[in-house]
Amino acid sequence: MSLLVLSANDVENISSSLSPSELQYLMARVFALFSSGSNNQVATPHRTSIPTSNHNGTTIKVVSVPKCKDDTRGLPGSTLVLDEDTGAVKAIVNARNLTALRNAAGSLLSTNLVGLRTPQRLVAFGAGKQIEAHIDLHIRYFPTLRSCTIINRSINQRVESLRDLLQSRFPHISFTFLARSDSISAEKSVRAADLIICATSSTSPLFLSSWVDADLVMRAICTNAIPRRQDLNARISRALIVDSRKDCEIEAGELISANVQGHQVVEIGELAPMKDGEVVEDVLNAPPPSVVLDDAEAAHTFDGPVTMFKSVGIGLQDVAIACAVVYKAQTHIAVGTRISEYDST
């Protein structure tokens, strides 16, 4: 699908071709719909203003959510990145894959902060872009990972494509692909896992909490509607980390169904290493061990039998990842298409 970009001069030329009659009719339809009082016909949220001086960037992200629950095409999204001085748009970024990347980056951070330092066995539920990004980042970061099991609703074309991509990208990793109907193999894989990643739209539990080992690290994301859930049952309120207390209370179906309250969780931002009000980058950039440590050395100090990070995604993640991509494109990698006279000012 192509993208049409209209500059200020383009818009001026088109505007002059619109007749007074066309414009009157257009506005008449708008105002008639607005005054009809039918909530089913129009949606016009009140305009709002958001101060962004401390956001390290200003962006606007537009995402379309498919109406059909069986639509597997993903979420088409675009992000406008604004110039901090003028407020003008300086870049438009295809955000379809950036959502997966920012979610995976948050999950990797949580693993690094409170998970095992030398995981060897990774299990992932799902086969979409979210899982691809999560597996990619975790394998690239943790040299001790040796095996990865992907469990999907079925072994379909999406799974086959993911298999080809991962095996070519990481030939040193032993990959196994299972259908969820193979419950015996799925249970065996979950019980042996050091790290489990759940990124599905499933409305039913993916596995039983009794399969989960006491030292497990879990990442549960992509649960955007209240009925959706990844099963943790009684273990869900132990050692639970979230990206946003407020948003998870509204959107995280598995936490809502388990009656988890805000005071029972820790926001991941509260665990970030800080000094003088800034994140200590050196701590996060320290490479993990390249060899497997014994249990005593590998254990982190976070108190809890199962460490779980639940992410519904926050807007500042979108700001950060889009601005980082645009910065790279402007300073390090000569990519993208530039329209020099997009704005007339």
Side-chain angles (χ1 to χ4, degrees), residues 73-278:
R73 293 175 295 178
L75 303 180
S78 297
T79 299
L80 299 179
V81 180
L82 308 185
D83 184 277
E84 290 291 285
D85 294 325
T86 66
V89 174
K90 69 177 182 180
I92 179 170
V93 181
N94 187 314
R96 180 184 289 269
N97 294 335
L98 284 186
T99 302
L101 181 60
R102 55 104 168 179
N103 284 341
S107 293
L108 178 62
L109 173 63
S110 67
T111 304
N112 192 21
L113 289 175
V114 299
L116 294 175
R117 297 177 63 200
T118 56
Q120 298 180 69
R121 296 168 297 274
L122 168 64
V123 171
F125 283 85
K129 285 293 182 182
Q130 296 280 357
I131 286 297
E132 177 189 329
H134 274 74
I135 292 175
D136 179 87
L137 278 190
H138 280 79
I139 291 178
R140 285 164 53 194
Y141 186 80
F142 291 106
T144 55
L145 279 172
R146 293 291 179 264
S147 70
C148 177
T149 300
I150 291 91
I151 304 173
N152 197 49
R153 181 167 49 185
S154 63
I155 304 300
N156 51 23
Q157 183 57 49
R158 176 181 284 187
V159 174
E160 297 292 345
S161 298
L162 182 61
R163 183 205 308 269
D164 294 341
L165 184 148
L166 292 176
Q167 288 180 338
S168 63
R169 188 178 295 175
F170 305 109
H172 64 289
I173 299 294
S174 174
F175 288 101
T176 302
F177 296 82
L178 301 173
R180 283 180 57 189
S181 57
D182 186 357
S183 58
I184 295 177
S185 298
E187 178 180 355
K188 182 179 179 180
S189 297
V190 169
R191 288 187 180 277
D194 299 314
L195 172 64
I196 296 178
I197 298 170
C198 303
T200 78
S201 57
S202 175
T203 57
S204 59
L206 300 178
F207 54 87
L208 299 177
S209 61
S210 59
W211 296 0
V212 176
D213 183 79
D215 295 322
L216 182 78
V217 180
M218 180 176 291
R219 307 289 168 252
I221 62 163
C222 290
T223 312
N224 298 318
I226 288 177
R228 300 176 181 175
R229 65 197 66 179
Q230 323 294 350
D231 178 48
L232 285 181
N233 293 343
R235 296 170 185 250
I236 202 166
S237 63
R238 304 297 299 275
L240 179 57
I241 306 165
V242 299
D243 51 4
S244 166
R245 285 189 184 89
K246 180 180 178 181
D247 292 337
C248 281
E249 287 179 351
I250 299 172
E251 300 179 26
E254 60 270 61
L255 305 191
I256 295 171
S257 64
N259 197 31
V260 175
Q261 304 299 311
H263 68 274
Q264 295 175 286
V265 303
V266 177
E267 285 189 348
I268 190 171
E270 298 168 356
L271 301 177
M274 305 289 291
K275 183 178 181 181
D276 299 327
E278 297 290 338

